[in-house]
């Protein structure tokens, strides 16, 4: 009996140590697990979860953007109602300027209160400008003209450049919440190609951003929304925007200094302005061209 038991134990040990037998046993276990109805239901629920998670994330991002928009509207309302008491005929002119006439009428109202309520006037323009830039709402060009009318040139230029860069960066962050996820979901190959191209030009992104802000080839709102999708870092984006909007803002602020004399037909860029902007655009690309030439020379 003892001998038989020892032989059986030896046979069992041998079968366990046999790799082929071990693989067969593992295959049997896998088949049993896969055929188990509870396992199949778990796999289906896991797959459904993977599909629903991106949709839920997108919905959450949209709700976040909507909440930020509502909070921003409340901020604008607070600025409006905390402003000094206006005359009845002035209230109708305190609104977002959509054309040069609106900017002129708003400028005349604010100019009356600027000296006594300088902080309130500047704070109102500051918050409104960032609001328009953040949510890609047209009209910021008229606020730039208005700044040229209300403030000294250096203050107006610094205010416009800072508001443009900060508002554009906030739009950049909002786009990264939804836009990036949507583009990579529906056009992953294209987005990856664009991101790879941006990565190759990482050292020159500041100059390219300055160039795009000066030239009218792409709308500013389009740049703000697309930049996070193609992996443009926030630092060169902000700096490039700050310095890139300076030349067109220079022209707008100069226009604002004669705002009271302007009519709708006069509010256009002159040929001198166009030539000046083109010159700035060329200058912004000189460092990039110089780097490429030096690299070829040393290679």
């Amino acid at each position: 009996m003892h001998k038989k038991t020892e032989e059986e134990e030896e046979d069992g040990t041998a079968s366990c140590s046999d790799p082929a037998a071990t693989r067969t046993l593992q295959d049997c276990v896998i088949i049993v697990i896969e055929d188990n109805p509870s396992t199949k239901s778990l796999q289906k629920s896991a797959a459904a979860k993977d599909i629903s998670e991106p949709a839920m994330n997108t919905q959450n991002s949209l709700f976040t953007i909507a909440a930020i928009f509502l909070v921003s509207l409340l901020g604008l309302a607070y600025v409006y109602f905390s402003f000094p008491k206006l005359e009845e005929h002035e209230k109708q002119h305190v609104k977002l300027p959509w054309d040069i006439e609106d900017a002129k009428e708003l400028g005349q109202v604010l100019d009356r209160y600027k000296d006594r309520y300088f902080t309130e006037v500047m704070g109102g323009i500051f918050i409104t400008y960032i609001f328009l830039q953040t949510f890609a709402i047209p009209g910021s060009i008229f606020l730039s003209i208005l700044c040229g009318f209300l403030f000294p040139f250096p203050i107006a230029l610094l205010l416009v450049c800072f508001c443009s860069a900060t508002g554009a960066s906030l739009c950049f962050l909002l786009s990264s919440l939804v836009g990036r996820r949507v583009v990579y979901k529906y056009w992953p190959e294209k987005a990856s190609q664009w991101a790879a191209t941006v990565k190759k030009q990482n050292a020159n992104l500041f100059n390219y951003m300055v160039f795009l802000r000066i030239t009218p080839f792409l709308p500013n709102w389009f740049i703000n929304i697309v930049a996070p999708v193609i992996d443009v870092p926030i630092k060169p984006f902000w700096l490039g925007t700050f310095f890139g909007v300076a030349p067109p803002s220079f022209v707008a602020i100069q226009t604002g200094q004669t705002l009271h004399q302007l009519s709708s037909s006069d509010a256009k860029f002159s040929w001198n302005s166009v030539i000046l902007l083109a010159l700035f655009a060329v200058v912004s690309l000189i460092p990039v061209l110089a780097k490429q030439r030096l690299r070829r020379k040393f290679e």
Side-chain angles (χ1 to χ4, degrees):
M1 290 293 290
H2 291 292
K3 289 183 178 179
K4 187 176 180 181
T5 305
E6 291 174 359
E7 289 175 358
E8 289 174 351
E9 288 177 355
E10 288 177 359
D11 291 341
T13 307
S15 63
C16 289
S17 61
D18 185 7
T22 304
R23 284 196 298 272
T24 304
L25 182 61
Q26 290 175 345
D27 293 339
C28 292
V29 172
I30 291 170
I31 292 171
V32 170
I33 292 174
E34 289 179 347
D35 289 340
N36 192 336
S38 61
T39 304
K40 289 182 178 180
S41 63
L42 286 173
Q43 289 175 345
K44 288 180 181 179
S45 62
K49 185 179 179 182
D50 291 339
I51 293 171
S52 62
E53 275 184 358
M56 290 297 294
N57 289 334
T58 303
Q59 286 181 350
N60 292 337
S61 300
L62 289 173
F63 282 130
T64 302
I65 292 175
I68 293 172
F69 182 77
L70 290 175
V71 171
S72 302
L73 283 179
L74 290 175
L76 284 179
Y78 173 78
V79 168
Y80 179 81
F81 289 109
S82 62
F83 202 76
K85 189 175 181 180
L86 301 171
E87 300 289 339
E88 285 299 323
H89 68 279
E90 294 174 335
K91 291 181 180 179
Q92 61 179 332
H93 302 309
V94 180
K95 59 183 180 180
L96 293 177
W98 298 110
D99 54 36
I100 199 66
E101 292 300 324
D102 288 345
K104 185 191 298 185
E105 291 168 350
L106 179 60
Q108 290 171 352
V109 173
L110 295 180
D111 191 47
R112 289 186 56 193
Y113 296 89
K114 180 187 65 176
D115 294 332
R116 287 179 295 167
Y117 303 100
F118 183 84
T119 304
E120 287 83 354
V121 171
M122 178 175 281
I125 292 176
F126 178 84
I127 293 174
T128 306
Y129 205 120
I130 290 181
F131 173 81
L132 295 179
Q133 288 286 317
T134 300
F135 297 101
I137 300 173
S140 56
I141 180 63
F142 299 111
L143 288 182
S144 300
I145 294 172
L146 188 62
C147 288
F149 176 72
L150 293 173
F151 307 116
F153 186 88
I155 295 176
L157 185 61
L158 182 62
L159 178 64
V160 170
C161 292
F162 182 82
C163 289
S164 296
T166 304
S169 298
L170 291 174
C171 184
F172 176 104
L173 295 175
L174 292 181
S175 176
S176 65
L177 283 176
V178 178
R180 179 180 174 82
R181 189 175 290 114
V182 171
V183 170
Y184 272 88
K185 180 180 178 181
Y186 293 104
W187 303 283
E189 293 181 1
K190 286 287 185 183
S192 299
Q193 290 175 1
W194 297 334
T197 303
V198 169
K199 191 173 182 180
K200 290 179 183 177
Q201 300 295 331
N202 198 38
N204 302 317
L205 286 179
F206 170 78
N207 298 93
Y208 286 132
M209 190 58 60
V210 171
F211 176 80
L212 288 174
R213 294 300 188 184
I214 294 174
T215 56
F217 297 139
L218 293 174
N220 283 332
W221 61 265
F222 180 81
I223 298 170
N224 300 341
I225 293 172
V226 171
V229 175
I230 57 177
D231 292 337
V232 175
I234 189 70
K235 184 178 178 180
F237 179 86
W238 192 93
L239 290 173
T241 302
F242 182 87
F243 290 101
V245 299
S249 298
F250 179 91
V251 175
I253 291 168
Q254 273 194 328
T255 303
Q257 292 178 342
T258 58
L259 178 63
H260 60 283
Q261 301 173 355
L262 291 177
S263 63
S264 298
S265 59
D266 295 329
K268 298 178 181 178
F269 286 133
S270 64
W271 278 108
N272 290 336
S273 302
V274 173
I275 294 171
L276 182 65
L277 293 178
L279 181 62
F280 276 117
V282 172
V283 169
S284 69
L285 289 181
I286 288 177
V288 178
L289 299 174
K291 286 180 186 177
Q292 292 177 350
R293 188 167 183 179
L294 285 172
R295 191 180 297 115
R296 291 197 199 100
K297 184 177 181 180
F298 287 106
E299 286 176 354

